[in-house]
Amino acid sequence: MSASKRISIAVDGPAGAGKSSISKVVAKKLGYLYIDTGAMYRAVTLAVLRAGANPADTDAVSHLLSNLTLRMEPTEEAFRVYVDDNDVTDAIRTQEVNANVSVVAAQKAVRQYLVAQQREMALAGGVILDGRDIGSVVLPNADLKIYLTASVETRAKRRWLEMKDNESVSLDDVKKSVADRDEMDKNREESPLVCVPDAVVIESDNLTFDETVDAMLKLATDVANKAEA
Ligand code: CDP
């Protein structure tokens, strides 16, 4: 029997659907590289905020991009991101970044800059990329496309439970922030979040974490075995 192919997997879906935590585990089990494209948009957003620029000012943001050094280090344990050699992997997870990332990610210059790097990282195959436009724009020829979703209530609740400081944030506030981000990501002009027709939809409301991992693993293994190396 020939070896199965090391395929490329695109995982898209709205905020808090579990894309990154699930994709990370699936990638580890398959021995694939996991690429968190959202972390890249977050890193650019953090750089914009730290520079004191207005995240909505497209000229200022595109000027900043020309002087930015962004480096990604995908390992089995984490997807580490560096801005100008500073490790920002944890710093990109704040509410301030959450509140501004969709404004930055809607900009054409930002998307061109990051999509080129994402495609390059995916070239070798044996990769899982998660984001909003992976199946539609970044890897339109991905071997497997998955759209992972759940109701806004489920997604907000998961996010809230995950937050270390959730005594100071209400579930309603998290729900609003998740819904606002979905709204912006789905309605923007540049690469909006869409469920492409050739994606397999996984609704995770009634699935546990492990069940979702298993569903994705099965899809990946089936596609990889059919494709063969
Ligand atoms: O993990 P979560 O669902 O909160 O979001 P994320 O994957 O970290 O992405 C943060 C934001 O970056 C999203 O809300 C989008 O605005 C943007 N993004 C994007 O536009 N395209 C991608 N491929 C990935 C993220």
Side-chain angles (χ1 to χ4, degrees), residues 38-51:
M40 297 167 71
Y41 289 93
R42 288 172 176 274
V44 171
T45 305
L46 182 73
V48 169
L49 295 170
R50 284 189 175 169

Side-chain angles (χ1 to χ4, degrees), residues 38-53 55 64 68 70 81-84 86-98 100-101 104:
M40 297 167 71
Y41 289 93
R42 288 172 176 274
V44 171
T45 305
L46 182 73
V48 169
L49 295 170
R50 284 189 175 169
L64 184 132
L68 187 74
L70 189 65
V81 194
Y82 299 80
V83 170
D84 299 330
N86 297 311
D87 186 342
V88 296
T89 311
D90 296 325
I92 58 176
R93 304 280 158 197
T94 61
Q95 281 299 347
E96 201 192 1
V97 173
N98 283 345
N100 290 287
V101 62
V104 172

Side-chain angles (χ1 to χ4, degrees), residues 15-16 37 41-42 102 105 111 132-133 159 181 185 188:
T37 67
Y41 289 93
R42 288 172 176 274
S102 291
R111 306 207 70 84
R132 303 293 187 284
D133 60 338
R159 263 295 138 88
R181 209 136 57 83
D185 292 345
R188 70 187 177 208

